[in-house]
Amino acid sequence: MAKYPFRELENKWQAYWQSNKTFKTPTKVDTTKPKYYVLDMFPYPSGAGLHVGHPEGYTATDIVARYKRMCGYNVLHPIGWDAFGLPAEQYALRTGTHPRITTEANINRFRKQLQSLGLSYDWDREIDTTDPEYYKWTQWIFLQLLERGLAYEAKVPVWWCEALGTTLSNEEVVDGKSDIGGHPCERRMLRQWVLRITEYAERLLKGLEHTDWPQSTKEMQRNWIGRSEGAEIDFKVQGGDSSVIRVYTTRPDTMFGATYMVLAPEHPLVDHISTKAQRNEVSHYIELASRKSDIERTELQKEKTGVFTGGYALNPVSQEAIPIWIADYVLSSYGTGAIMAVPGEDERDWAFAAKYDLPIVRTVQPPSDFTGLAYTGDGPAINSAFLNGLYIQEAKERIIDYLESEGLGTRKVNYKLRDWLFSRQRYWGEPIPVVFEGDQVSSLPENALPLTLPELEEFKPSGTPEGPLALAQNWLQTINPSSGNIAKRETNTMPQWAGSCWYFLRYIDPKNSMQIVDPKLEKYWMPVDLYIGGAEHAVLHLLYARFWHMVLYDAGVVSTPEPFSKLVHQGMILGELEYTAWKNIESGQWVTSPQVSGGKDVHTGAHLEAVRIDEERVTKDGDKFFLKEKPQIQLDVRAHKMSKSRGNVINPDEIISQFGADAFRLYEMFMGPLEQVKPWNTRGVHGTFRFLTRVWRLITERPVHDIKPEREQLRLLHQTIDRVTSDIEGLRMNTAIAALMEFVNAAFKWKQIPQEIAEYFVLLLSPFAPHISEELWQYLGHQESLAYESWPELDKQYLTEDMIDLPVQVNGKLRATIRIPVEIDKQQVVERAMLETNVLKFVANKPVNKEIYVPGRILNIVVG
């Protein structure tokens, strides 16, 4: 056959798979067969399209899906689009195009790119979160939450971005600016829909114990939920009224050292407590705090600031009056928004007390060699009345018992997790299916779903908390189906997270107009067996999806308490390595390994410039890189995240056009372990292309005969079957490909290839490089696609060697190596060794004192 014609055969097989619906999972499956649900975190279809980092996870799941089909599993391997959200709306506003039009165009581009990779998705199950037939069920889930008391309205402090005209989550604000556009944000108290995820905090923690997830991801979720045990304690405000400040603390044993209190600037009692003399200063501080993110406010290394309110509270155990301050390092979103400050045992409190000259009282005795400030370790209680002498755990129990007996406090388990802010003042999101008669909220009935977005010519932010939907007067005014009275629709929409909280369920039954999912199908397919996606979703998406799934489990809609059995995060693919050398600006001389700060050599003060070096001018020595023409000049080498601003984005379309999808897929998997961060190198695709060219030549340019394979050929084949199978199961795609390459290298030495060996090898290659494998399978005489052929079966008898190389020593020194059968006794080994000239040379005319034989390992002949 001709040169490896990758373009023609890839176009051919992609068209074949699509027209024959090769990878369609039947709606009615044979449930007696095992199932495997392999899922990608579905993409957000941006206008930029894919870059080469995106397909890494998609390729890995595709390999597993193809492998599992060949192993006899019913495989569910779907794809869809997470297409609502602020980026689409912002792009539409900039271009004056409706977000539905831009979203559809982006989806079409993404679909074409994914299909060009030869991914074996069931395209009949494709979903789009902006499709009313999809978000009908997103709205239905919201109604289930509302009915169960898990969705509620509240006035809460939120980030408001005037330029974007919407609220943003804490994660969408960096240094007081929106992560999209970098616009200034401020805190406002607004009416919002909130989901009571805190009701599920304990279950979200315990559920992690039953999942096969990366430990780092589990730990991130545990930290985000932030379970702690302590006490809630009431401090009476001094001044004659009944006001009480409730605090939560994990260290109630330190109460006798509470020398002042701190409220969050947003605390509802701040205005009441602040004296007239302090009111202006307090108001000014609250304004400044409203512009800071939670991360800024709580950073340990930042200097603490605060303002005295002028008010006092009574320490409930000492009855001493202690001053009440406000400080932005206390958050209204954690605990009660108030703390008792114990500077003797807390570093932040110590720093604050030292700055404002507030009393510091130790309540735990530090060891004699302690030289620090606040002591946070264990030790006997001091300055604490009836707790003196008790160590922390016993002191905690004693003080909580006392507080409860006196009605001053109670045991409490607390969580850092806050209820989920669910409102967005945007157009491009799911409408919330409720109506208002005055302050009364009514749910829409199920038969009124989907509540679709109105057609608006002007969908830019309204500039008010009501959002753009408030401009749709004909849509806004409606009839309450429950009462028949005139009502008003909700103008907030749902966040982008909503559609991605349950999409994995809709894939199971995407065309069902009567149910969110058929219970029988859900019970068969769930949970997801393998879920692959970026580590950037380790907390929020995964936490929100688990929360919604648990609610649906309680409602009897799903059969599993957790949605994802096994989770894997693919490592980021960075841009190509950048090589930098340094030159002295004044002399023009190259500089050897300088330490540079602010463009200057820190040792000499000389002004330096960074010079980008082309890869052709680089030489490597071990793990270090040098300039070829100046070998003494060591280079700085680094890879950066792909971004338009750096100009290092690599389009997969260009790579596929030049080398083909199979070569691209192989390189993505061969770069290194799936979870590892790694730099892109286009030269690596040359290597996988050369490998595929050799595969093509091995089978099409060499004799393939229907002859009985030799034992050595079978041994190589089954060793390869064993390695590739175990590596796919372990997601070690790079080493599986290495095994296939080693097979080809060895097979090229054969004069002819048995048909059986060639067919098995093509099947092993097919999950990784499906296009060339389909073509070679056809070349070998098969008419049907290999997609559902049986995976090669391992015969373990071929994993053991018939012959081995055995070292022979004389008096402990190696004198020869002999090739012997595995099944041979000691006497035969000695006789065979004595035939070696170099052994006889050192044994001749000397008595043999001992023959030490370790079977399969070594023979040592000891002579006198």
Side-chain angles (χ1 to χ4, degrees), residues 37 39-42 80 127 129 134 498-508 531 541 564:
Y37 187 175
L39 182 66
D40 297 299
M41 291 185 184
F42 66 164
I127 60 172
T129 58
Y134 178 88
S500 63
C501 276
W502 70 280
Y503 73 108
F504 47 89
L505 294 174
R506 194 60 179 170
Y507 283 139
I508 294 170
Y531 194 26
H541 158 60
F564 313 120

Side-chain angles (χ1 to χ4, degrees), residues 542-730:
L542 291 168
L543 196 67
Y544 293 158
R546 293 178 62 222
F547 165 47
W548 276 32
H549 197 78
M550 287 177 181
V551 174
L552 293 175
Y553 178 73
D554 291 346
V557 176
V558 299
S559 59
T560 64
E562 288 285 342
F564 313 120
S565 291
K566 181 177 178 65
L567 172 72
V568 174
H569 298 305
Q570 80 272 16
M572 184 180 295
I573 293 181
L574 304 174
E576 300 209 48
L577 290 176
E578 295 179 5
Y579 306 92
T580 306
W582 294 93
K583 260 188 177 181
N584 186 310
I585 292 177
E586 295 171 358
S587 67
Q589 296 297 309
W590 294 108
V591 183
T592 304
S593 301
Q595 293 184 20
V596 183
S597 177
K600 288 185 178 181
D601 189 318
V602 297
H603 296 302
T604 66
H607 290 274
L608 304 179
E609 64 175 338
V611 181
R612 289 278 294 273
I613 304 299
D614 292 335
E615 192 173 1
E616 292 73 23
R617 298 171 64 194
V618 175
T619 183
K620 187 177 181 183
D621 183 5
D623 60 351
K624 296 179 180 179
F625 296 83
F626 298 88
L627 191 58
K628 275 183 182 177
E629 65 263 32
K630 296 277 186 179
Q632 74 274 21
I633 302 300
Q634 186 174 341
L635 305 176
D636 290 339
V637 182
R638 66 188 67 188
H640 297 276
K641 184 177 178 180
M642 290 189 191
S643 67
K644 283 185 178 180
S645 62
R646 296 197 67 88
N648 64 349
V649 174
I650 299 167
N651 189 326
D653 300 350
E654 298 170 7
I655 303 297
I656 291 170
S657 174
Q658 188 175 356
F659 300 103
D662 283 342
F664 176 81
R665 289 167 59 112
L666 281 173
Y667 177 63
E668 290 259 320
M669 296 295 95
F670 193 56
M671 292 171 72
L674 181 61
E675 298 92 337
Q676 190 178 67
V677 176
K678 38 210 174 274
W680 176 268
N681 186 345
T682 301
R683 290 202 305 175
V685 192
H686 288 260
T688 53
F689 179 79
R690 284 194 299 271
F691 165 67
L692 290 174
T693 300
R694 294 196 80 206
V695 170
W696 184 257
R697 290 177 50 217
L698 176 69
I699 294 178
T700 64
E701 295 181 3
R702 296 166 65 82
V704 177
H705 296 289
D706 189 12
I707 57 175
K708 184 178 180 180
E710 298 174 4
R711 186 170 182 83
E712 284 301 313
Q713 292 174 325
L714 287 169
R715 177 175 295 107
L716 175 62
L717 171 68
H718 285 277
Q719 287 174 344
T720 307
I721 292 172
D722 184 43
R723 289 176 62 185
V724 173
T725 303
S726 63
D727 283 347
I728 292 177
E729 292 281 0

